[in-house]
Amino acid sequence: MRGFFDARSVAVVGVSDDPANMARSIVTNLQEFCFDGIIYQVGQRGGHAFGRRIFKSVADLPDQVDLAVILVPARHVPGVLEECGQKGIRRAIVETAGFSEFGPEGKAIEDQVVAAARKHGIRFLGPNGIGVLNLKNGLVVPFPRLKDVFARGRVSILSQSGGVGLSYLNVLASENLGLAKFASLGNKLDVNECDLLEVLVDDPDTDIIVLYLEGISDGRRLMDLARRTAKPILMHKSNTGQLAREIAASHTASLSGDDAVVSAALAQVGVARFGDATTLVNYLKMLPLPRLEGDRLAIVSRSGGHAVIAADACEAAGFRLARFPEAFLREIERHFRASVIKLTNPLDLGDLFDFDVYLRIVEETLRLEDVDGVVFLHTYIAALEGERSRELFRRIEELGFKHGKPVAICVATDFEEMAILRRTLPHPVYTEPDDAIHSLRLVRDFRHHARPAPVLPEGRLDQERVRAVLARCRAEGRDPGLGEALEVLRAAGLAVAPSSGVASAEEAVSAAAALGGPVALKLDVAEASHKTDVGGVRLGCQGADAVREAFGALAAAAGRLGARGPVRVEVQRMAEGGREIILGARRDPSFGPVVLVGLGGVFVEVLRDVVMRVVPFEATEADEMIRALQAFPVLQGLRGQAPRDLAALREGLLCVARLVEAFPEIAELDVNPLMLFAEGQGALAVDARILLARAVAPA
Amino acid sequence: MRGFFDARSVAVVGVSDDPANMARSIVTNLQEFCFDGIIYQVGQRGGHAFGRRIFKSVADLPDQVDLAVILVPARHVPGVLEECGQKGIRRAIVETAGFSEFGPEGKAIEDQVVAAARKHGIRFLGPNGIGVLNLKNGLVVPFPRLKDVFARGRVSILSQSGGVGLSYLNVLASENLGLAKFASLGNKLDVNECDLLEVLVDDPDTDIIVLYLEGISDGRRLMDLARRTAKPILMHKSNTGQLAREIAASHTASLSGDDAVVSAALAQVGVARFGDATTLVNYLKMLPLPRLEGDRLAIVSRSGGHAVIAADACEAAGFRLARFPEAFLREIERHFRASVIKLTNPLDLGDLFDFDVYLRIVEETLRLEDVDGVVFLHTYIAALEGERSRELFRRIEELGFKHGKPVAICVATDFEEMAILRRTLPHPVYTEPDDAIHSLRLVRDFRHHARPAPVLPEGRLDQERVRAVLARCRAEGRDPGLGEALEVLRAAGLAVAPSSGVASAEEAVSAAAALGGPVALKLDVAEASHKTDVGGVRLGCQGADAVREAFGALAAAAGRLGARGPVRVEVQRMAEGGREIILGARRDPSFGPVVLVGLGGVFVEVLRDVVMRVVPFEATEADEMIRALQAFPVLQGLRGQAPRDLAALREGLLCVARLVEAFPEIAELDVNPLMLFAEGQGALAVDARILLARAVAPA
């Protein structure tokens, strides 16, 4: 895969002597960036361009070539790849658009492209991308013209979209952020983001990795790669909604999973998710600064008003303002020309105009043990104080490094001055106090480190018994019924309310007697998948008559539904007094099994308050899921209510996780509700639903 | 008040021949902005500056002067004002800092300042502000040096903080947004934001009003002024948190109310609240564009990736993507050089490079009846396509005006180019699709128009009876007890669960028998303000024995609390089966009476889901409050539950509002809970608490 970045000879295929020819710009870019290798031009009409010959076909090339960059009409791409294969070229970048993103004809050509590549063992990037940039060797092959305005640095970018990739390149250049490598993934017909992410993870020239993706090809591999590396990974995953999904499907042929799964998965492996270029820059500029090790900030401001705004932002972001010691304040006071500003944190420099004094104050502030970081707010008119301010900022940042604490600088000035600051200062400069403080929070909360793959803690899972139930259902081409679903849960070690399946009123009466106490009767036929809505549930039946009557009512309901086969009913001992919890699991096409938890009733139905994780996860992570619920205080016990049995809930989550990890044929599983009792009293599943994948090979 | 902007002669007090003298910059600014009037300089040491004499005192001035601008040490300000008064000057701007924002000594000087001003009928702005700008007559008196880089226009700004005001001025200049007037309010010791807002509301040169405030001096007058005008008012109200409040108190001596009240009040009168300069600019640049009349957008993009991001943002902001008619798509297709992009909305211009074709496409899009607005996304490298792109943007905006629909332009380019675009284009240009679409939403949702003052619909409020209860409590120096609070609610027309107060077990038994059915007994002594927590509530007591036993238990609880006086207990008929609602009211120091509604239990306690309005409001607004609750779906009936009686809830809100409007001595009122029954079955208040203001004159 490194070959996409390290090629020492490149054939640009699709060049003609027409000045409007797009492949010519690829050659121009290679020249602009002083490619440290040999460039060949190929185009069926031959001729010459840029003082070089245009070979009529790849076959005509005089030498061996490392990489072909192809920009010919889509229908010609399979043929060009065939020629490349015959010539022994094993790496190609296809920049041509018009494949599956355009329609069924394009899809047919794609199949031919893949066939040609497979036949010759060619790995290719694209189609419908703009290729790569490697600033180290000048391998820069996008077809849009680029100027070499880039600082050399240690940030590398993978972008599914060429346009978004270009705009990120623009931003890096404008912000003086150093670039190492770039690749545009396009339709990801062969090489995907994981293939190149692996290159960047191992790349000695890359320290920070940025991804823009519209779809995630292999979520689990992505998670593994992210866990393997200590390099910060920042990801913009778009295509989050229904509208975008329709476009993206046509745009780069992405299949998008559920966005909440993406967020959960990225959080699990410590990938920072961002949604716009501003946030990206905030990360990139803050990450090289000294680490913010706590939440105590000092605000030093030239304007009291900005200090107020910054203090609001501090509080909203969960920071505290460090308390300044008296001795420090007296020391500061000595520097003031007149004592007209009350000394406190935020420190308002209002009537003080000597920048050297500002510096001394910032340094004194950084020295304070109670201060973890500083926000410096500065208002100026560039024409009057521009140069002095820029020098001030440089020296303030040096002080930050000297004392090992970050300083976020926020200025109010004109945009031309901001452009200069951004392009010339290596450190971040913000225009909004909110933004400066939000950035500090981003880097405070973002812990990037290599981490071992989690392992689900072991537990009782009777695989034989689960397999038997699922095999029977699969054989009969149906999903498990209620009784079967409850049996699977029991086999998975979950506590389930005692119940038994019956087929007649008299069986129901006996079952109820055996269970003891009041019982619930629940219709268990395929046609009643939403039992409650069709009158398929009777609660609190006590005594033979009540049970018999309830069975009759359920049988009648089954009749109304046109249920085929015998009427089956689950008789279950009532489990009352618990808080209703929903446990769920499903299989994401990209990330595999995912488990979720939420509180029943309004919390899920109105507030969509659920927390999700990709399986596997550790027991501590299950606890984190529970605590992350908005409704968590309800489980801790509101208004003197007893706290709920959180250990039982954790165990419930782990049981479900073990089950869906071991049985990929389970496409969806809901335990709804799990009744969660007071601390020490456990939990009981009282209803469940399992859907099987339509066509999954046996595990 | 217009005198602060229209003065034709100005005395700058505090000028010396020292080059570091700050008042000199005031004179410099007047000269820079070509003040169309006469400038006098006053300074106790005399001498000369800028080729003019410095008079030693105001008394020495040879002519009558309209306005004094004062920047002398705080302790000298009272004397200067005294001189001004004697000289007949009736308007002053005090820029000096170091008053109450600094400490008690400053507060003492403030009192002298106010006394001197009152004595002579002087109205003054400040202290601790930077004065005014009026670009029409060049009256520009801040002490920080300013360059005249401002476009003349129709936006006026009032800012409590000078620093934030300056940064907004910077932003306006950078964004080519035309300024009319500016004033900095400082400590608002005399003139406040309402005084100057009234000037701007009536100012023929002002079309849009921007306010930055840390505290609101007179919320009700502000609301009245906002209702009076059709001019859009945009407000940044900072000082929202606890941290900021502490600073602001020292910074500009503001007293800040509850931030949620501010938000509610501004929303009620159609003032747009913003929190940063970016959002301000978005408003200011979008407001002059044609109005967005619906929610159907078209996205036209040079990059598929940006189209995906924009579509995500569309959906998140509640917009729809217009469906393009087939005929339109065929028309567009004819313009394409190659058919490699699927035509849909968003329209991806991917392989099309002719800007004239872009224009034609945008125009065709604007013509479509189903399109209410357009988002145009453009990626370019300034060095290569800068000029052509700028021309494209200008012509696109013309098309928007021609067709009466807004076009939000979003570009990916470098910052220097962005600075040029912002300073030269009259129309907005965004760098993030999210931001462009968010701005469209801002102006879609922001309806600015003059509106009549709301009137609470009349209802039954027995003022005599309320007055009697409150008078008794006030006379005894205590808050109303439970029985009294319930009586007040009954007098206010609210349905209250039948109850009566008793003082013995036997009275309780008789009362329970009279009420019929199970009853609740609630301890009604001042010491048991949190009844439930101290065992002061017994629910569902049925029969004489149970009532007697409950009374005994409550009496014992009262004993444990050390209650003085006789034990009083409220015996109340049980009201079960309702959904618990909380109605509340309190008196905001700036906005007056405020009413709130929320659902009891987790909704208020965990989720803080409450909606608030300043009284008075119309019945339709009460309905809006209810519908604005996150938990509103619960009231509509979840999972087949009956919908609740929303008319009764509205009436409850109106009763509470009438009560607190009529009785300013009610500082706080909680109805917790109001039991809300199914539709048509009304509501019953079952518990209530009223706190009286400590020192309010009788209504």
Side-chain angles (χ1 to χ4, degrees), chain B residues 409-423:
Chain B
I409 296 174
C410 185
V411 307
T413 187
D414 58 83
F415 282 125
E416 284 78 359
E417 173 70 5
M418 276 309 300
I420 295 171
L421 293 179
R422 288 189 154 133
R423 199 179 283 280

Side-chain angles (χ1 to χ4, degrees), chain B residues 49-364:
Chain B
F50 307 109
R52 293 171 210 269
R53 190 177 152 188
I54 302 174
F55 294 94
K56 288 197 172 175
S57 91
V58 172
D60 296 346
L61 292 174
D63 303 298
Q64 188 51 278
V65 170
D66 295 339
L67 176 70
V69 179
I70 302 167
L71 185 54
V72 299
R75 65 188 182 282
H76 295 154
V77 173
V80 169
L81 276 181
E82 178 63 36
E83 283 179 28
C84 288
Q86 286 170 11
K87 185 75 188 174
I89 299 175
R90 294 291 170 261
R91 295 287 173 273
I93 294 173
V94 182
E95 301 195 11
T96 309
F99 288 88
S100 62
E101 79 275 13
F102 185 57
E105 301 147 59
K107 179 72 179 71
I109 306 176
E110 270 187 2
D111 294 343
Q112 297 167 34
V113 168
V114 171
R118 291 264 162 82
K119 178 176 161 196
H120 295 287
I122 300 172
R123 299 303 307 265
F124 67 96
L125 198 54
N128 192 19
I130 59 167
V132 302
L133 283 81
N134 180 358
L135 294 192
K136 203 171 183 187
N137 63 0
L139 181 69
V140 173
V141 301
F143 68 86
R145 283 276 302 280
L146 298 176
K147 287 267 168 196
D148 186 5
V149 289
F150 299 98
R152 270 58 180 167
R154 307 189 60 79
V155 176
S156 290
I157 300 176
L158 300 179
S159 175
Q160 187 160 356
S161 151
V164 175
L166 283 177
S167 73
Y168 283 179
L169 290 175
N170 253 333
V171 165
L172 257 66
S174 287
E175 294 277 3
N176 194 34
L177 286 159
L179 178 71
K181 295 181 170 65
F182 168 93
S184 151
L185 298 159
N187 289 10
K188 305 196 285 187
L189 205 50
D190 176 32
V191 173
N192 69 22
E193 66 272 18
C194 289
D195 299 322
L196 294 185
L197 178 58
E198 190 159 14
V199 172
L200 297 180
V201 160
D202 295 332
D203 179 23
D205 297 325
T206 296
D207 282 348
I208 300 179
I209 301 167
V210 177
L211 294 130
Y212 169 80
L213 295 176
E214 289 163 9
I216 294 181
S217 300
D218 183 347
R220 292 188 90 78
R221 185 172 162 214
L222 187 84
M223 291 179 79
D224 287 341
L225 285 167
R227 284 199 192 95
R228 238 182 63 192
T229 184
K231 298 179 184 180
I233 301 178
L234 313 171
M235 187 187 297
H236 183 176
K237 167 68 176 64
S238 73
N239 187 12
T240 56
Q242 201 46 50
L243 289 178
R245 207 161 300 168
E246 285 165 22
I247 311 135
S250 67
H251 162 56
T252 41
S254 324
L255 238 182
S256 144
D258 182 319
D259 196 57
V261 176
V262 175
S263 285
L266 298 184
Q268 273 175 265
V269 296
V271 169
R273 185 171 185 176
F274 67 95
D276 56 41
T278 308
T279 309
L280 169 63
V281 169
N282 289 345
Y283 271 120
L284 293 179
K285 289 216 155 177
M286 294 302 286
L287 283 173
L289 293 195
R291 174 104 210 174
L292 183 68
E293 297 292 355
D295 62 357
R296 298 161 306 173
L297 297 184
I299 298 174
V300 180
S301 176
R302 206 180 186 181
S303 136
H306 289 108
V308 170
I309 297 172
D312 282 342
C314 254
E315 190 165 351
F319 286 112
R320 290 182 296 137
L321 292 184
R323 190 159 290 277
F324 290 153
E326 266 311 301
F328 166 79
L329 292 174
R330 293 293 78 77
E331 175 70 18
I332 298 298
E333 206 168 21
R334 289 201 303 114
H335 297 302
F336 274 72
R337 192 169 56 158
S339 287
V340 300
I341 304 292
K342 193 169 164 189
L343 291 168
T344 175
N345 183 9
L347 200 60
D348 180 345
L349 303 172
D351 80 329
L352 191 65
F353 293 89
D354 181 342
F355 285 13
D356 288 331
V357 178
Y358 287 13
L359 267 181
R360 294 216 303 275
I361 289 178
V362 169
E363 175 145 34
E364 290 303 320

Side-chain angles (χ1 to χ4, degrees), chain A residues 133-425:
Chain A
L133 282 82
N134 180 358
L135 295 193
K136 203 170 183 186
N137 62 0
L139 181 68
V140 173
V141 301
F143 67 87
R145 282 275 302 280
L146 298 175
K147 287 267 167 196
D148 186 4
V149 289
F150 299 98
R152 271 58 182 167
R154 308 189 60 80
V155 176
S156 290
I157 301 177
L158 301 178
S159 175
Q160 187 160 355
S161 151
V164 174
L166 284 177
S167 72
Y168 283 178
L169 290 175
N170 253 332
V171 165
L172 257 66
S174 287
E175 294 276 4
N176 194 35
L177 285 160
L179 178 71
K181 294 182 170 65
F182 169 94
S184 152
L185 299 159
N187 289 10
K188 304 195 287 187
L189 205 50
D190 177 32
V191 172
N192 69 21
E193 65 272 18
C194 289
D195 298 321
L196 294 185
L197 178 58
E198 191 160 13
V199 173
L200 297 180
V201 160
D202 295 332
D203 179 23
D205 298 324
T206 296
D207 282 348
I208 300 179
I209 301 168
V210 177
L211 294 130
Y212 170 79
L213 295 176
E214 290 163 8
I216 293 180
S217 300
D218 183 347
R220 292 188 91 77
R221 184 171 163 216
L222 187 83
M223 290 177 80
D224 287 341
L225 285 166
R227 284 199 191 93
R228 237 182 62 191
T229 183
K231 298 179 183 180
I233 302 178
L234 312 171
M235 186 187 297
H236 183 176
K237 166 68 176 61
S238 73
N239 188 12
T240 57
Q242 200 47 50
L243 289 177
R245 207 162 301 167
E246 286 165 23
I247 311 135
S250 68
H251 160 57
T252 41
S254 324
L255 239 181
S256 146
D258 182 318
D259 195 56
V261 176
V262 175
S263 285
L266 298 184
Q268 274 175 264
V269 296
V271 169
R273 185 171 185 178
F274 67 95
D276 55 40
T278 309
T279 310
L280 168 62
V281 169
N282 289 346
Y283 271 120
L284 292 180
K285 288 216 154 177
M286 293 301 286
L287 283 173
L289 293 196
R291 174 105 211 175
L292 184 67
E293 297 292 355
D295 62 358
R296 298 160 307 173
L297 297 183
I299 298 175
V300 180
S301 175
R302 205 179 186 182
S303 136
H306 289 109
V308 170
I309 297 172
D312 282 342
C314 255
E315 191 166 351
F319 285 113
R320 290 181 297 136
L321 293 183
R323 191 160 288 276
F324 290 153
E326 267 309 301
F328 165 79
L329 291 174
R330 293 294 79 77
E331 176 70 19
I332 298 298
E333 206 168 21
R334 289 200 304 115
H335 297 302
F336 275 71
R337 194 170 53 159
S339 286
V340 300
I341 304 291
K342 193 170 163 190
L343 290 168
T344 175
N345 182 8
L347 200 58
D348 180 344
L349 303 173
D351 80 329
L352 192 64
F353 292 90
D354 181 341
F355 286 13
D356 287 331
V357 178
Y358 287 13
L359 267 181
R360 294 217 303 277
I361 290 178
V362 169
E363 175 144 35
E364 290 302 319
T365 313
L366 284 166
R367 275 188 213 282
L368 290 175
E369 213 179 297
D370 284 352
V371 167
D372 299 310
V374 172
V375 181
F376 183 78
L377 306 157
H378 188 61
T379 307
Y380 66 103
I381 293 179
L384 300 173
E385 297 183 320
E387 266 187 64
R388 286 167 58 220
S389 296
R390 281 169 238 153
E391 179 58 22
L392 174 69
F393 301 151
R394 266 186 288 269
R395 293 178 56 194
I396 283 181
E397 290 297 351
E398 284 168 17
L399 289 177
F401 277 100
K402 181 176 157 192
H403 294 280
K405 296 174 182 177
V407 181
I409 296 174
C410 184
V411 307
T413 188
D414 57 83
F415 281 125
E416 284 77 0
E417 173 70 6
M418 275 309 299
I420 295 171
L421 293 179
R422 287 189 156 132
R423 199 179 283 280
T424 55
L425 292 181

